[in-house]
Amino acid sequence: MPSVFTWTVRVYYEDTDAGGIVYYANYLKFFERARTEWLRSLGIHQQTLLDEESAAFVVRSASVDYLSSARLDDELTLRLTVEKLGRASVQFAQQAWRGDTLLSTANVKVGCVDAKTMRPRSLPDAAAAKMLSN
């Protein structure tokens, strides 16, 4: 069974809309931050990949379902699971929870590209090895 990475985030005023709930697009930001923190937890730093390997991650596709609302000051737990690790891409299943309430789910596919040409490239070997060992 794939391991689950969790990371928490607090909802700030800037995350909410005029109705006082988290603006729907901000869940994508929360999910992005969770993926970045997952990489950090593995010892993979995106700036280092960019500087040393000319490798960058880009979102190829995202499908999000919104099930319930979060509000100002809520603490959200973001969960991330790697569904598939390809030669040049990673597919994630992500969830946002407030306590026992599932707020949002997402399936996100991220590709690795050469930062100079923006063309697909294989994941750097060291990064792929760390992702596989997780």
Side-chain angles (χ1 to χ4, degrees):
M1 178 155 182
S3 64
V4 177
F5 174 78
T6 60
W7 184 70
T8 58
V9 64
R10 176 80 56 192
V11 174
Y12 295 119
Y13 185 77
E14 67 187 24
D15 299 319
T16 62
D17 62 15
I21 62 173
V22 171
Y23 182 64
Y24 77 96
N26 286 333
Y27 287 94
L28 290 170
K29 292 180 181 182
F30 298 154
F31 292 143
E32 175 78 25
R33 291 176 196 162
R35 290 192 306 276
T36 297
E37 294 303 324
W38 171 72
L39 288 170
R40 282 184 213 277
S41 77
L42 298 176
I44 300 169
H45 301 280
Q46 292 185 76
Q47 189 63 51
T48 302
L49 288 178
L50 190 61
D51 293 342
E52 296 177 5
E53 306 250 9
S54 188
F57 294 112
V58 296
V59 172
R60 183 172 191 276
S61 63
S63 172
V64 184
D65 287 317
Y66 302 97
L67 309 168
S68 191
S69 300
R71 297 185 179 277
L72 180 65
D73 289 330
D74 284 350
E75 184 177 80
L76 308 183
T77 300
L78 303 172
R79 295 181 186 166
L80 169 153
T81 304
V82 174
E83 294 281 294
K84 181 180 177 186
L85 182 62
R87 192 175 66 81
S89 65
V90 186
Q91 190 164 325
F92 297 94
Q94 294 188 254
Q95 301 173 333
W97 293 79
R98 182 189 56 240
D100 294 333
T101 303
L102 180 59
L103 304 175
S104 180
T105 62
N107 291 304
V108 181
K109 186 170 185 178
V110 174
C112 186
V113 298
D114 181 289
K116 294 176 185 131
T117 65
M118 296 308 288
R119 301 205 28 94
R121 60 153 291 169
S122 61
L123 294 165
D125 291 338
K130 289 177 181 180
M131 290 177 191
L132 279 172
S133 69
N134 180 18

